[in-house]
């Protein structure tokens, strides 16, 4: 099962939830993000804890095609992970808005 959600370029936001599914309004969770390009090569991801229960994920894809984003929290896959990103790059090589 693969889920597609909305992302803009090489950035998306994770909203943390507690064990009961309630949105968290503080940081400190341990998220890991592994992004792979169409060739299966890893792409570095920068995770920024916003301190309000959200985590900004930044990455820089360098090719068109289907990318996979695996997200874990405390070593366990989050629901819907891995996510699929159909990356399209603009003429300047910057990623265009995509759906994952």
């Amino acid at each position: 099962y693969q889920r597609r959600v909305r992302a803009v370029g090489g950035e998306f936001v994770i909203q943390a939830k507690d064990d009961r599914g309630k949105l968290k309004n503080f940081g400190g969770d341990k998220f890991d993000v592994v992004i792979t390009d169409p060739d299966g090569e890893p792409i570095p991801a920068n995770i920024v804890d916003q301190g309000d229960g959200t985590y900004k994920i930044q990455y820089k894809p360098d090719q068109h095609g289907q990318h996979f984003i695996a997200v874990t929290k405390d070593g366990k896959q989050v629901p819907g992970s891995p996510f699929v990103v159909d990356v399209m790059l603009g003429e300047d090589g910057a990623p265009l808005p995509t759906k994952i």
Side-chain angles (χ1 to χ4, degrees), residues 65-77:
Q66 206 170 67
H67 291 58
F68 293 89
I69 301 176
V71 180
T72 59
K73 179 182 173 208
D74 300 324
K76 297 178 183 176
Q77 290 279 340

Side-chain angles (χ1 to χ4, degrees), residues 31-49:
F31 283 100
D32 287 305
V33 176
V34 176
I35 302 172
T36 53
D37 70 16
D39 297 326
E41 295 296 319
I43 297 175
N46 183 45
I47 303 171
V48 179
D49 184 343

